Amino acid sequence: FFFSLWNSLYLCLEINKYKMVQCSDALVWELVKNNSSFMKKVNGRTSRSGTVRFSVEKGNVKNISSYKYSGFNSKTVDVSATADNRAALSAKSSKASTQPSKGQPVTPLNKSFHRVEKTITSQIADNYYRPDLKSDALARYSAIYRGNRVAKDVKKGVPVKKGRGKSD
């Protein structure tokens, strides 16, 4: 099975030797799913829980290393924090395969929370882009929103819990 994947990738490269290679999303995922520079492996708390694999690539809303959430899909959604303590929504367009710089247009999310929720819903779910990622994108935005409020000193951060040990 693995040999056939490499063989099909080799054929893709040979046919398009001097062109940009376009292979299926599933093929690319099968080749990079076990080894990727974006993968972060975290050991579980117990021996039974095993290792958890996360991914920090752009376009991965949940940061889980799986095909569904992978940034290698032809349709990806990403909600990210910007440098000026705001958020931005980016979704891959049809130009992503031929023009990577124009492939992910960024929509700034700088209105009220209710309007941003409406924007995310209309961009992702209402136009049938990736309705399965709607709740994940909203959860990601609400986490970024909370963090930005603390960074702007609008709200105080959650105090660190102190243990029952010695008090300093």
Side-chain angles (χ1 to χ4, degrees), residues 70-129:
S70 172
F72 295 117
N73 276 331
S74 56
K75 291 184 175 183
T76 61
V77 174
D78 188 36
V79 179
S80 58
T82 59
D84 59 343
N85 291 331
R86 296 190 179 196
L89 172 73
S90 60
K92 232 183 225 185
S93 68
S94 59
K95 289 184 178 182
S97 60
T98 57
Q99 297 173 330
S101 61
K102 296 178 184 177
Q104 284 197 323
V106 176
T107 306
L109 303 174
N110 51 11
K111 303 285 186 200
S112 67
F113 189 86
H114 179 69
R115 283 188 173 183
V116 168
E117 178 189 4
K118 195 173 179 184
T119 301
I120 291 173
T121 304
S122 67
Q123 292 279 329
I124 296 171
D126 290 348
N127 65 356
Y128 305 107
Y129 185 72

Side-chain angles (χ1 to χ4, degrees), residues 4-167:
S4 64
L5 288 175
W6 280 109
N7 194 18
S8 58
L9 180 65
Y10 178 74
L11 288 176
C12 277
L13 293 172
E14 277 301 313
I15 292 170
N16 301 314
K17 202 170 204 174
Y18 301 106
K19 298 178 185 177
M20 183 174 263
V21 179
Q22 291 186 1
C23 296
S24 69
D25 304 334
L27 175 63
V28 173
W29 173 250
E30 285 296 321
L31 293 172
V32 301
K33 72 178 177 183
N34 292 325
N35 296 312
S36 173
S37 62
F38 299 111
M39 189 182 308
K40 303 292 180 206
K41 292 182 181 178
V42 180
N43 288 330
R45 291 179 181 246
T46 64
S47 60
R48 291 179 63 186
S49 63
T51 304
V52 183
R53 296 188 315 176
F54 293 105
S55 178
V56 293
E57 63 193 337
K58 186 176 169 84
N60 193 330
V61 176
K62 257 190 143 172
N63 288 348
I64 294 177
S65 182
S66 73
Y67 178 67
K68 177 181 179 182
Y69 301 111
S70 172
F72 295 117
N73 276 331
S74 56
K75 291 184 175 183
T76 61
V77 174
D78 188 36
V79 179
S80 58
T82 59
D84 59 343
N85 291 331
R86 296 190 179 196
L89 172 73
S90 60
K92 232 183 225 185
S93 68
S94 59
K95 289 184 178 182
S97 60
T98 57
Q99 297 173 330
S101 61
K102 296 178 184 177
Q104 284 197 323
V106 176
T107 306
L109 303 174
N110 51 11
K111 303 285 186 200
S112 67
F113 189 86
H114 179 69
R115 283 188 173 183
V116 168
E117 178 189 4
K118 195 173 179 184
T119 301
I120 291 173
T121 304
S122 67
Q123 292 279 329
I124 296 171
D126 290 348
N127 65 356
Y128 305 107
Y129 185 72
R130 284 292 297 269
D132 57 326
L133 297 180
K134 175 188 162 190
S135 62
D136 299 327
L138 289 172
R140 178 82 171 246
Y141 174 71
S142 64
I144 290 172
Y145 181 76
R146 272 184 276 134
N148 286 345
R149 285 175 58 92
V150 171
K152 291 178 184 178
D153 291 330
V154 175
K155 189 173 182 180
K156 290 184 181 177
V158 177
V160 178
K161 289 186 178 179
K162 296 176 181 165
R164 296 184 190 183
K166 297 179 190 176
S167 59

